[in-house]
Amino acid sequence: MQRYSRITGWGMYVPERRLTNFDLEKMVDTSDKWIVERTGIRERRIIGPGETTRTMAVAASRRALEVAGIEPIDLDLIIAATSSPDHLLPTVATQIQADLGAVGVPAFALVAGCTGFMYGLVVAHQFIASGAYDRVLVIGAETISKAVNWEDRTTCVLFGDGAGAVVVEASQTPGGLMSFELGADGRDWDALMIPAGGVAHPPDMEMIEKKLYTIRMNGRAVFRFATRVMTEASRRVITQAGLTPDDIALLIPHQANLRIIEYAAKKLGFPMDRVMVNIDRYGNTSTASIPIALVEALEQGRIKPGDNVVMVGFGAGLTWGAVVWHWQPVETDTAAILVEDWPIPQRLQSSLRRVRTQAWNARVALSEKATLALIPLYTWTHRLKKKVPRPSLPPIVKKK
Ligand code: COA
């Protein structure tokens, strides 16, 4: 039996702190007028103290799980798309997994620039369609503000921080991902890059002095690439799905530049009232931009059951990705698949995996509690062990 994907949960998180174009006017030689006219951006969000890609991803994921009505432990896979992980090693995906309390659930990060979420969504669908997994969490989270040179007006005005997440579940009802296209053109890998900090140029003084740990971009080259792939990839996925642009209720493009979005919409013949735009409030949040736009579109009631939606993105690499997603009714029938249609060995395997994961989580929670309880004892014995006898002071000789 064919298995389909269904988005059953969605959530987003953006930091409180707003950085407006007027704030940027005080930092670099720019103006609100230039930024609005050339990009459509008015403000972006920037992480505050204690916030990172990990914390934003966890907040967005918790919300998505809540909407889906499932526990973290019920997930079969976590895919965290990001180009700004908390650490180079380990993957931020396992940190997110631990914070969610989904210990045991496989988790990996996916790097495809701003297209990461699109790649993640398609990968999630493959696991579901093959019958390997039933519930996949796909996250797009990015702290681009830490990779931006705040003295470079050509890039710093463009980006913002944020995270979005969706829960993708198996379904029997036809719908979900109807067609997709993933693409890459590595010949232009250096059109958008961070020159140092990796193996090719490990951290050194030159990296610090020349700020080679920040984004370098050939804006015009990326602009040309973006307008072409957004239009062509969208057109191809719509045709592949056997539809026409008129059948698409909403276009959700990567929010990189309003001019790119308007150009693509015009070429595709989409009126702007069928295009999701929130770049004015968040800027380019990289791989978080499409899930954030999706969440806002859903919250604004712009996607209804039965609608066809196109999501399309592009980014560093250079990469691109597009899907047609058919929005099914919210109610999920995954349980029906599990109980009635699965062969007995697979059902047993699924139950076993759940029990094993629960046992694992319980063990981790217990050992954490035990460690906490033992800390005072450990500190005390440690001190005892370390207690060195005071050196005896030389006798005081009284002067006569
Ligand atoms: N404020 C004021 N002036 C600025 C500026 C800023 N923030 N940034 C650049 N300028 C200046 C340039 O120095 C240039 O001046 P000059 O003509 O005296 O040399 C002028 O504005 C025009 O620069 P240009 O690069 O041609 O502008 P543009 O219209 O191409 O817009 C981008 C620049 C970056 C907004 C645009 O190219 C773009 O959006 N590219 C795609 C980037 C993208 O999407 N990246 C993310 C991919 S995921």
Side-chain angles (χ1 to χ4, degrees):
M1 177 197 290
Q2 191 168 353
R3 288 158 57 90
Y4 301 94
S5 305
R6 181 201 296 268
I7 292 178
T8 57
W10 48 88
M12 62 173 273
Y13 177 87
V14 286
E16 282 290 307
R17 192 179 151 210
R18 289 179 159 83
L19 186 71
T20 66
N21 292 348
F22 299 104
D23 295 327
L24 281 164
E25 280 180 359
K26 293 175 204 143
M27 294 161 65
V28 285
D29 180 16
T30 191
S31 66
D32 173 62
K33 188 173 178 293
W34 191 96
I35 303 172
V36 173
E37 278 176 12
R38 303 285 180 123
T39 71
I41 303 166
R42 290 181 187 278
E43 60 178 38
R44 64 289 292 142
R45 302 296 181 98
I46 307 292
I47 53 162
E51 286 183 320
T52 61
T53 299
R54 169 186 176 175
T55 64
M56 292 192 294
V58 170
S61 301
R62 286 210 175 109
R63 179 75 190 123
L65 289 162
E66 206 178 289
V67 173
I70 66 167
E71 296 295 323
I73 202 155
D74 293 331
L75 290 168
D76 296 316
L77 177 67
I78 299 170
I79 303 173
T82 184
S83 297
S84 48
D86 283 32
H87 301 276
L88 282 181
L89 197 72
T91 162
V92 72
T94 57
Q95 297 175 319
I96 297 167
Q97 180 241 46
D99 290 354
L100 288 174
V103 175
V105 176
F108 67 88
L110 191 157
V111 188
C114 302
T115 323
F117 179 78
M118 300 307 298
Y119 270 69
L121 202 56
V122 174
V123 171
H125 172 75
Q126 304 309 317
F127 275 111
I128 285 172
S130 71
Y133 293 140
D134 289 326
R135 298 182 180 97
V136 184
L137 176 67
V138 186
I139 307 161
E142 213 80 85
T143 312
I144 292 292
S145 64
K146 290 284 179 196
V148 160
N149 178 356
W150 290 102
E151 289 165 4
D152 175 10
R153 68 175 183 173
T154 64
T155 51
C156 77
V157 302
L158 303 173
F159 298 100
D161 301 333
V166 295
V167 174
V168 189
E169 293 195 56
S171 166
Q172 278 179 304
T173 314
L177 189 128
M178 295 176 75
S179 60
F180 74 88
E181 175 174 311
L182 297 179
D185 184 350
R187 288 172 303 180
D188 285 328
W189 63 271
D190 55 355
L192 177 46
M193 69 178 301
I194 294 177
V199 173
H201 186 148
D204 59 7
M205 282 317 289
E206 188 197 1
M207 176 183 105
I208 307 289
E209 282 157 11
K210 295 185 180 164
K211 296 203 164 134
L212 300 177
Y213 53 86
T214 59
I215 289 173
R216 302 294 147 100
M217 183 177 68
N218 180 342
R220 285 180 199 176
V222 177
F223 193 96
R224 277 194 303 274
F225 165 79
T227 45
R228 182 170 59 80
V229 295
M230 292 270 271
T231 316
E232 292 176 4
S234 301
R235 198 173 279 145
R236 281 193 289 265
V237 289
I238 294 170
T239 311
Q240 258 178 54
L243 303 171
T244 68
D246 287 345
D247 301 315
I248 306 299
L250 193 66
L251 175 72
I252 305 182
H254 172 40
Q255 311 283 311
N257 186 321
L258 183 60
R259 285 192 293 146
I260 297 175
I261 297 173
E262 284 174 344
Y263 177 91
K266 196 172 165 203
K267 282 269 171 191
L268 289 164
F270 274 79
M272 284 308 283
D273 62 354
R274 281 201 281 136
V275 181
M276 183 64 202
V277 176
N278 62 5
I279 190 170
D280 51 325
R281 287 175 291 126
Y282 305 124
N284 179 351
T285 55
S286 184
T287 199
S289 97
I290 292 178
I292 288 176
L294 173 67
V295 172
E296 291 206 330
L298 284 160
E299 285 173 355
Q300 291 164 13
R302 295 184 68 179
I303 304 175
K304 295 178 193 63
D307 278 353
N308 298 310
V309 174
V310 169
M311 291 181 253
V312 58
F314 63 91
L318 296 171
T319 55
W320 72 91
V323 303
V324 173
W325 198 276
H326 180 75
W327 208 263
Q328 300 114 313
V330 173
E331 206 179 331
T332 175
D333 52 13
T334 309
I337 299 175
L338 280 175
V339 179
E340 285 162 23
D341 302 314
W342 273 45
I344 290 170
Q346 281 190 24
R347 268 193 269 163
L348 280 175
Q349 206 183 15
S350 168
S351 313
L352 263 176
R353 197 169 55 219
R354 184 172 297 214
V355 170
R356 205 190 59 208
T357 312
Q358 273 168 350
W360 180 297
N361 265 359
R363 216 188 76 189
V364 171
L366 203 71
S367 74
E368 267 174 14
K369 274 189 193 146
T371 314
L372 279 177
L374 287 174
I375 282 173
L377 188 67
Y378 172 79
T379 322
W380 183 66
T381 48
H382 192 66
R383 271 208 209 116
L384 271 187
K385 267 194 220 159
K386 279 190 106 178
K387 214 165 195 179
V388 193
R390 274 171 184 244
S392 48
L393 295 168
I396 300 165
V397 184
K398 281 188 180 169
K399 281 184 187 168
K400 286 182 183 171

